[in-house]
Amino acid sequence: MSPEQLSPLPAGRRLRLLLDRLAPALGSVAAGLWHGDGWSGPPGVQRYRAWLRISHQVVRATTPLLADAVTECLRRPDPLSAELAPYLAGQLTEEHGHDRWLLDDYAATGADPAELLAAQPAPAVARFAGAPAYWIRHAHPLALLGHIALLEWYPPPAGTADRLAAGTGLPAAAFRTLAAHTVLDAGHGGALLAFLDARRLTHPQHRLLLTAAATSAGGLADVLAPLLRPAGRRPHPTEEPWPTRTG
């Protein structure tokens, strides 16, 4: 189904419909991650720490992307940029400090949060964060909303934090970010949907939004893939999620 065939739909609902259809691989990854086995005992603790490492690498890129998008909106004279700037500035305020939350959660697992800061991100993470930066600078900051949609429209199922705490034996304090985003993403996702539905986008703008979102969908699936690696298989160097120690 082409964007032209979906033209009667508001922009947000059009994006959501097309993402649901274009990102089945991401849905499969998410289902395998949160509903699969491997969250019990010491292996579950190690898996959860790996999730925190990857999440920290992704989340710490979010506020710079938002800041760059606001700056680019203020530089551009078009009406859509003028509408986007205050929305993105609000998102920037909302997302500030979430990378710190993940460091605190990592410490609550009994690990050293300095490991997260010293870790070399996998290439998949760099690609995932780098694509939106390119769209912002060389297409339009609107593209970042496609990226954000992936992060906020598909939160972990309710109760995931409690289930993982029970399986791993880790304290509730280790799951505060996961528990908070189960709630926060629903509110942010609803606000994003409403913002997009209120915009009258041109077909090229719709196409950019969809293209950026689909690119991020494939990228996020690659980012999360190491967490679904079969037990016992060593990671390829290009997907290594573990911290790189220095000194």
Side-chain angles (χ1 to χ4, degrees):
M1 186 176 293
S2 69
E4 287 75 12
Q5 291 173 300
L6 292 170
S7 57
L9 288 177
R13 278 177 277 177
R14 182 190 303 194
L15 176 61
R16 182 59 192 255
L17 176 62
L18 291 176
L19 271 182
D20 288 345
R21 292 182 176 183
L22 291 175
L26 182 64
S28 297
V29 169
L33 175 61
W34 300 121
H35 297 292
D37 297 329
W39 291 109
S40 299
V45 172
Q46 294 304 314
R47 189 182 189 194
Y48 181 59
R49 285 174 177 163
W51 180 83
L52 289 171
R53 293 182 189 108
I54 291 173
S55 297
H56 179 261
Q57 292 168 2
V58 169
V59 168
R60 69 181 174 184
T62 301
T63 51
L65 285 172
L66 286 165
D68 287 350
V70 171
T71 298
E72 188 66 17
C73 282
L74 296 176
R75 190 186 70 81
R76 291 170 176 261
D78 61 282
L80 180 58
S81 291
E83 295 173 340
L84 265 175
Y87 174 82
L88 292 171
Q91 285 292 104
L92 181 59
T93 300
E94 290 284 335
E95 296 297 327
H96 179 73
H98 289 197
D99 55 332
R100 178 71 246 181
W101 295 4
L102 289 159
L103 293 175
D104 292 342
D105 289 355
Y106 195 71
T109 72
D112 184 356
E115 294 176 353
L116 272 64
L117 298 172
Q120 177 177 304
V125 175
R127 290 192 297 269
F128 180 66
Y134 188 93
W135 296 121
I136 289 167
R137 180 64 62 86
H138 299 293
H140 195 282
L142 172 69
L144 184 60
L145 298 191
H147 182 77
I148 292 172
L150 263 295
L151 297 176
E152 299 201 333
W153 284 354
Y154 302 93
T160 297
D162 292 339
R163 183 171 58 82
L164 268 56
T168 61
L170 292 170
F175 298 91
R176 284 183 291 191
T177 303
L178 185 62
H181 277 274
T182 300
V183 177
L184 289 175
D185 287 352
H188 292 168
L192 173 58
L193 184 67
F195 178 84
L196 285 172
D197 277 353
R199 310 274 83 74
R200 294 182 62 85
L201 302 184
T202 65
H203 284 311
Q205 289 168 342
H206 277 295
R207 190 174 300 111
L208 171 63
L209 188 62
L210 172 60
T211 301
T215 301
S216 291
L220 187 56
D222 290 341
V223 166
L224 296 177
L227 296 173
L228 302 178
R229 185 184 305 115
R233 183 174 79 78
R234 292 183 62 80
H236 186 276
T238 61
E239 63 182 22
E240 176 63 68
W242 311 115
T244 299
R245 295 185 179 276
T246 57

